[in-house]
């Protein structure tokens, strides 16, 4: 009886903790999207003639590996972005690695 209460409480708590981490990840992704390069990725990407990131991701046309490659190397009018992403206060504060920051941004775009 006691044991099952502890087990249930542990499961409930780890669920909450996992949710809090997921929320934090989306929040950081959002901040990166809105603040990178001073005015955010949307300065360019919310203009219809440029790639629509959320639509591409949801449509399966922009996978995680390609997303990361473009951020690292740039592409045409798209500047390299990883250095800029790592400079964001929210990323610094969370102590995110490059991998974690890119993942947070991708997850945010996927959720938009
Ligand atoms: C100065 C304008 C500008 C900014 C700022 C910018 N982008 Fe871009 N981005 C572009 C342009 C233009 C392209 C299309 C490049 C091409 O295909 O030649 C592009 C392409 C991309 C692609 C590749 C899409 C595909 O299907 O190939 C990704 C991913 C991307 N940008 C992500 C981002 C993210 C994330 C940010 C913010 C950290 C960002 N961009 C900020 C202009 C910008």
């Amino acid at each position: 009886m006691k044991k099952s209460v502890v087990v249930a409480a542990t499961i409930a708590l780890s669920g909450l903790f996992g949710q809090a981490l997921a929320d934090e990840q989306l929040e950081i992704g959002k901040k990166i999207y809105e603040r990178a390069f001073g005015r955010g990725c949307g300065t360019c990407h919310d203009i219809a003639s440029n790639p629509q990131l959320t639509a591409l991701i949801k449509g399966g046309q922009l996978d995680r590996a390609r997303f990361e490659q473009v951020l690292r190397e740039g592409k045409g009018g798209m500047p390299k972005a990883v250095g800029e992403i790592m400079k964001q206060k929210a990323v610094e504060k969370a102590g995110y690695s490059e991998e974690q920051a890119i993942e947070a941004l991708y997850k945010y775009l996927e959720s938009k």
Side-chain angles (χ1 to χ4, degrees), residues 41 44-45 50-51 53 56 66-67 70-71 75 77-78 105:
C41 313
C44 297
H45 286 283
N50 284 330
L53 302 174
L56 288 170
R66 180 185 162 82
F67 182 73
V70 173
L71 293 186
K75 182 186 176 218
M78 169 67 206
L105 184 52

Side-chain angles (χ1 to χ4, degrees), residues 6-101:
V6 173
V7 169
T10 306
I11 290 169
L13 273 178
S14 56
L16 282 176
F17 192 57
Q19 188 57 48
L21 282 179
D23 289 348
E24 184 196 42
Q25 184 184 47
L26 289 184
E27 191 54 40
I28 292 173
K30 182 170 195 260
K31 285 188 176 148
I32 297 170
Y33 188 79
E34 289 174 354
R35 297 179 188 175
F37 299 106
R39 299 166 92 180
C41 313
T43 310
C44 297
H45 286 283
D46 292 344
I47 295 170
S49 53
N50 284 330
Q52 300 299 297
L53 302 174
T54 293
L56 288 170
I57 291 171
K58 286 186 174 164
Q61 293 159 285
L62 178 59
D63 66 22
R64 176 66 175 73
R66 180 185 162 82
F67 182 73
E68 176 161 351
Q69 189 188 4
V70 173
L71 293 186
R72 290 193 182 283
E73 298 171 7
K75 182 186 176 218
M78 169 67 206
K80 288 185 187 179
V82 175
E84 189 59 37
I85 289 168
M86 296 311 288
K87 271 197 257 164
Q88 298 305 305
K89 282 259 151 35
V91 172
E92 259 178 38
K93 224 175 110 196
Y96 271 14
S97 64
E98 290 183 357
E99 269 307 312
Q100 286 173 307

